[in-house]
Amino acid sequence: MRVGIVGLLQESNTFINGQTTLAHFEQDLLCEGAEIERRMADAHHEVGGFFEGLAAAGIEAVPIFLARALPYGTMQRGVLEELLARMDRALDRAGRLDGLLAAPHGATVSETAADVDGYWLARLRTRFGTRFPIIATFDLHANISAQLVAACDALIGYRSNPHLDQRARGVEAAKLMARTLGGEVRPTMAANLLPLAVNIERQLTSAEPCQSLYGRADAMLAAPGVLTNSVALGFPYADVAQMGSAIVVVTNNDWAKARMLADDLANHWWSRREEFNGQFITVDQALDRAVQLDGSVCLLDMGDNVGGGSPADGTLLAHGLHQRQMGPSFVCLYDPAAYELAQAAGLDARVTLSIGGKTDALHGSPLTAEFTVGRFAEGKFSEPNPRHGGIVNFNMGPTAIVTTDAGLTVMITSRRCAPMSLNQLVSCGLDPGSFRYLVAKGVHAPVAAYREVCRHLIRVDTPGVTSADLRRLEYHHRRPMYPFEPDMTWVAGNGAQAKVGSR
């Protein structure tokens, strides 16, 4: 048996002014054939899990095409077409295949297709026919569509946020493919698409209200005939019709049971919808609370969440730390121009810089202060441990470390970089444990790393393109949903999507 491996992953924030280009994929992952295995076989990523699971089953893995870009804006016109043309040519070269393991993100948007993931998987379904098994993984933040469900025999979503189980989900998908090809099971899927936008602040799977919801889904896995299930919390920063939450259940050739179980879990979730409302903490409230705490504090900048596509140059927390002179503090800001000025000034120079706040007016004004230039670094670092996103190698571009007399340290990067690893600091000669306050531009993704040095975590309701308070964002294409229409009624079964397994 030969099973192909394909992937196209990018989380598209449609509220960002900038667009995702082909260069964004080239900077992260854009590879074909054997290079995919070389780069991903050992990664904490679902594609690495594909290789592991297929090898364990004695099935030949055929790496075909993989593209991934850091979350950012809508994909620029022509980029999707170019990526899919490359995928088609790679498929032409792959030879005979018995099935496909696919890795979409689930929240990718382009100028030419609002539902990119449903679109490219539907193309594969058309190419290979209805009797050809296609099993796909998806990000916990996917916006599941009817088109995506119809294109696949089974969908398997991440179960943890931060995303630490990606490789495990890839192994699970490969094992299900092996059972399908062996004739042991016939995956049959039902999905329920809830009109529910889940506040990003409430999406920590190890805490309530998510913990018991996922616990209920885990308990369902013990039911006879259930092969897998998934809870998709959705990606609210995409203004598209399919934005929202979803339940997916896959059974062994029992559509009625899959539908019943999906409806049951969806109704349970809907009955608890108010628990998923945010508990918003302002910048001033967060700083007031932080100074009262013993030990180091991680201030999570939710409005400038790089893992959600934000510009990474939000300054609101940096301004607060600077104005209050709160002592040893750290913040990372993307600002290539400020880096160049620091580099020109040279090591140990005292220089006045205006850092960050340059992408738009949503994320704060530039932080202007006198700094001492402390270090320069090439900006490349690695993370060997499982971390959100399954990324091992990072590149934040040439980087400068500058510090105010009051103890605010600013890492100035020339490329956007999500705070998934403490090695981001260590690689620049900084000791994360030496700071009393550390700003991490994320919500849950940084937690896997930062909880190792921070006793306390405070999620701060900063404005921006990843605002936790969705009422700050202007939607034009979403369907009616809670919490925007707080008095709406809904019952599972109205609008649920389903697909009988192809084999």
Side-chain angles (χ1 to χ4, degrees), residues 182-206:
E184 179 184 347
V185 296
R186 181 183 179 187
T188 306
M189 179 164 55
N192 205 305
L193 314 182
L194 289 79
L196 173 63
V198 176
N199 184 285
I200 192 72
E201 179 191 336
R202 308 295 278 169
Q203 293 192 11
L204 182 64
T205 52
S206 61

Side-chain angles (χ1 to χ4, degrees), residues 21 59 109 129 319 342 346 371 420 428 436 478 490:
T21 67
I59 295 174
V109 181
H319 276 295
F371 296 89
M420 311 299 192
C428 295
R436 175 82 165 83
R478 68 166 178 84
W490 179 82

Side-chain angles (χ1 to χ4, degrees), residues 269-335:
W269 191 357
W270 181 257
S271 72
R272 299 178 55 205
R273 61 193 178 279
E274 293 182 0
E275 299 176 37
F276 290 82
N277 292 335
Q279 299 174 350
F280 306 126
I281 301 172
T282 67
V283 171
D284 285 336
Q285 289 171 337
L287 296 179
D288 288 344
R289 180 181 299 182
V291 297
Q292 301 297 320
L293 298 171
D294 293 327
S296 58
V297 180
C298 180
L299 298 161
L300 292 151
D301 188 350
M302 296 195 292
D304 192 20
N305 173 11
V306 185
S310 72
D313 70 346
T315 57
L316 295 170
L317 282 167
H319 276 295
L321 292 166
H322 178 61
Q323 290 165 3
R324 296 189 184 209
Q325 298 189 14
M326 292 177 63
S329 309
F330 170 84
V331 63
C332 177
L333 295 172
Y334 163 69
D335 192 332

Side-chain angles (χ1 to χ4, degrees), residues 439-462:
V439 176
K441 294 184 173 296
V443 183
H444 306 298
V447 170
Y450 278 75
R451 66 186 171 194
E452 295 181 0
V453 296
C454 293
R455 185 181 300 179
H456 309 282
L457 301 166
I458 301 177
R459 292 176 174 84
V460 190
D461 180 32
T462 49

Side-chain angles (χ1 to χ4, degrees), residues 33-45:
E35 185 184 358
I36 299 173
E37 185 169 12
R38 180 180 64 80
R39 298 185 63 173
M40 301 301 293
D42 296 325
H44 304 291
H45 190 274

